[in-house]
Amino acid sequence: PDEFIKKYGPARFRALLEGAVSEIEYKLFTAAEGIDTETDEGKLKYLARAAEILAETNDGMARDLYESRLAETYGVSKTAISARVSQLRKQTYQKRRKEEIRQVISPRFSRDDVNPEKRTHMRAARAEETLLSLLMQHPDCFELVSGLLSADQFVTDLNRRVYASLCRILAAGHTADISLLGEEFTPAEMGYLVSLQSAPVATEKLETLARDCVKVIMDEHARQQAPDAAQLSAEDWAAQMKRIAQKKSRGE
């Protein structure tokens, strides 16, 4: 207490006891535990910890305020503290972006994943999941979707089976009640269906969303069915390139 009072004054200590001190200020205070801030080495060690704390907040005004206080209290330039905080924030951002990219390129999956094919068909699998969630929550879209897409065109086996089952139930006039599918899927797969049923789906422009999902699935299915270019004759390859060019010109 006497150390806190010496540095920040009795008013701040009283505010600390009354719970009126901000989370950042409390973290900055407790970060000094075990450090002799009267020595140059201790000051540097504490300021390094303090910079890490300030780097965690997205409140620019709060960072500016506490950077000024730290500079005044420990006799260092605010510019030096600000530079260190900015450097740490930049490192955190870059690390997060790398992880996001890594997850897209090589996502982590556990041994218990019910749909392992999603690993190699991420974009199509996500479109399948969105479409299934849409049908579960908005069964009135069934007629549109079933008229555009068959179960055979689904890319992943699990989602293909779910879609076929949903189509059968909805075509029979039943609601999209997943309890009716209990005998067709394992407990783990039923858990997956529950997650699809509760997944957030946009409530506006449902037809546009459905058509977008269908297009992604059909494009991936067509890509899988396309023959390997290395095995095509020159004439077949040229014809295929021409068809692709025509599709692009039509905006397909």
Side-chain angles (χ1 to χ4, degrees):
D2 63 328
E3 183 180 350
F4 188 93
I5 292 172
K6 287 178 184 177
K7 290 182 179 180
Y8 302 108
R12 297 307 299 166
F13 181 67
R14 194 158 43 247
L16 177 63
L17 294 178
E18 295 173 355
V21 173
S22 71
E23 180 183 3
I24 296 175
E25 189 165 354
Y26 179 73
K27 286 182 177 180
L28 290 173
F29 173 61
T30 56
E33 292 180 2
I35 298 177
D36 182 3
T37 55
E38 297 301 320
T39 66
D40 289 341
E41 181 181 357
K43 286 181 182 179
L44 291 174
K45 186 175 182 180
Y46 170 73
L47 288 172
R49 288 186 183 180
E52 292 176 357
I53 292 169
L54 295 184
E56 293 174 354
T57 179
N58 291 321
D59 188 336
M61 293 182 66
R63 289 199 305 272
D64 185 75
L65 172 64
Y66 289 110
E67 286 168 359
S68 297
R69 287 186 181 177
L70 288 170
E72 182 180 352
T73 302
Y74 293 97
V76 296
S77 71
K78 180 185 174 184
T79 301
I81 297 175
S82 298
R84 179 54 180 164
V85 171
S86 297
Q87 181 185 29
L88 289 171
R89 286 179 60 79
K90 184 177 180 180
Q91 290 174 354
T92 299
Y93 172 78
Q94 291 175 337
K95 182 178 180 181
R96 186 170 61 248
R97 286 293 298 148
K98 287 181 180 178
E99 177 61 18
E100 290 173 353
I101 294 172
R102 191 200 66 76
Q103 276 291 325
V104 172
I105 297 174
S106 180
R108 290 193 184 121
F109 292 87
S110 69
R111 292 186 305 172
D112 299 326
D113 288 328
V114 294
N115 191 14
E117 289 176 293
K118 182 175 180 177
R119 307 180 191 188
T120 51
H121 304 289
M122 183 67 73
R123 184 165 178 264
R126 284 176 175 168
E128 291 174 350
E129 291 172 357
T130 300
L131 192 63
L132 293 173
S133 294
L134 187 151
L135 287 175
M136 290 178 179
Q137 299 173 34
H138 303 279
D140 49 310
C141 293
F142 167 66
E143 186 174 348
L144 167 67
V145 174
S146 61
L148 296 173
L149 189 68
S150 69
D152 291 339
Q153 290 172 296
F154 268 64
V155 177
T156 67
D157 178 67
L158 175 57
N159 289 335
R160 182 184 304 116
R161 290 192 290 118
V162 174
Y163 180 67
S165 296
L166 278 177
C167 285
R168 188 186 68 255
I169 290 174
L170 294 173
H174 300 297
T175 59
D177 186 351
I178 61 174
S179 64
L180 299 174
L181 307 177
E183 296 182 359
E184 301 179 40
F185 298 91
T186 67
E189 291 171 342
M190 287 300 293
Y192 172 70
L193 266 63
V194 171
S195 70
L196 291 179
Q197 190 175 46
S198 59
V201 175
T203 56
E204 299 179 355
K205 299 182 179 180
L206 292 177
E207 181 177 334
T208 299
L209 176 61
R211 290 183 182 277
D212 288 345
C213 290
V214 168
K215 185 178 186 305
V216 171
I217 296 168
M218 292 179 68
D219 285 349
E220 179 63 16
H221 178 264
R223 189 185 69 79
Q224 286 188 313
Q225 298 302 311
D228 188 345
Q231 299 176 358
L232 293 176
S233 66
E235 292 79 7
D236 289 340
W237 180 85
Q240 183 171 316
M241 292 302 100
K242 183 178 180 180
R243 286 194 296 272
I244 293 174
Q246 291 172 340
K247 282 189 174 183
K248 286 187 175 181
S249 67
R250 294 194 299 266
E252 297 180 5

